[in-house]
Amino acid sequence: VQTCALPIYGSFTGSENFYSYRVTTDNDGRFVFPQVPPGKHRLTGEITSIPLMDVEIRPGETTTVTVNRYTLTARLRWPTGLTREAGWRISVTASVRPQSPGLPGPAVAFGVFEENSDGSFVGPDLPAGNYMVRVAVFEPPTNGGQQKLHAHAEVPVSVPADPHSGTLDLGQIVLKLAQ
């Protein structure tokens, strides 16, 4: 069972011969791949392209998997002397760091955080692994010019494999003034 707020897509890809099977989760995050041939397959999420896990399918058996997912939350601490202005854009993203255990290959996937009315941010449901959370505070361009970076931060985050799901509170992310 993969718990998520909205339906997502997933695919199984065979490792020896290329097979690709696609299904969409239901509103509760459940999905079924009918008649996948025996062998080793990699389950991925298509919206984020994050490899979720490797699965071995045995002949004549039904295989059940649980995909671990965590929701990330965070608050921003502004640098002394800098306050948020109306119209500024805040971008908060999570990306897969290369060499993450269980997430092979150099692929990078992004998840975008959304801002709550209380000023906190809620990130995407992510499987276990190592991520880099990046924050950038921009002033929109004026008169066709370039946007201006006011503050930024990068925080490494490890999403645990156990328990299987939950909320990981990153606390305050301290912003640094842009140079």
Side-chain angles (χ1 to χ4, degrees):
V1 176
Q2 182 174 8
T3 305
C4 58
L6 297 171
I8 66 164
Y9 298 95
S11 65
F12 262 126
T13 303
S15 56
E16 292 178 16
N17 296 320
F18 183 76
Y19 303 106
S20 183
Y21 304 90
R22 298 175 195 273
V23 297
T24 303
T25 62
D26 64 17
N27 288 333
D28 294 322
R30 292 185 297 264
F31 55 90
V32 174
F33 287 95
Q35 301 179 351
V36 174
K40 294 181 180 181
H41 299 272
R42 176 158 296 144
L43 179 64
T44 61
E46 290 216 342
I47 289 178
T48 61
S49 299
I50 296 174
L52 302 174
M53 65 179 50
D54 290 334
V55 179
E56 172 103 27
I57 306 294
R58 293 189 176 95
E61 294 182 14
T62 297
T63 303
T64 302
V65 298
T66 299
V67 178
N68 301 341
R69 306 294 283 191
Y70 270 80
T71 299
L72 304 181
T73 62
R75 290 160 302 290
L76 302 180
R77 186 165 53 158
W78 291 81
T80 303
L82 183 66
T83 56
R84 184 176 185 177
E85 299 284 335
W88 283 7
R89 185 174 73 91
I90 300 175
S91 169
V92 183
T93 59
S95 61
V96 175
R97 294 188 337 203
Q99 311 304 318
S100 294
L103 299 175
V108 175
F110 295 96
V112 177
F113 286 63
E114 294 183 14
E115 187 172 9
N116 289 327
S117 60
D118 67 358
S120 65
F121 288 82
V122 176
D125 288 341
L126 296 173
N130 295 317
Y131 299 87
M132 183 63 71
V133 173
R134 291 181 173 88
V135 182
V137 178
F138 293 97
E139 181 178 338
T142 56
N143 299 326
Q146 300 256 340
Q147 59 186 359
K148 180 180 177 185
L149 178 66
H150 286 282
H152 61 93
E154 285 191 352
V155 178
V157 175
S158 291
V159 175
D162 190 29
H164 296 300
S165 63
T167 299
L168 184 59
D169 188 348
L170 304 179
Q172 286 191 340
I173 296 177
V174 178
L175 295 173
K176 298 174 190 165
L177 286 172
Q179 300 290 328

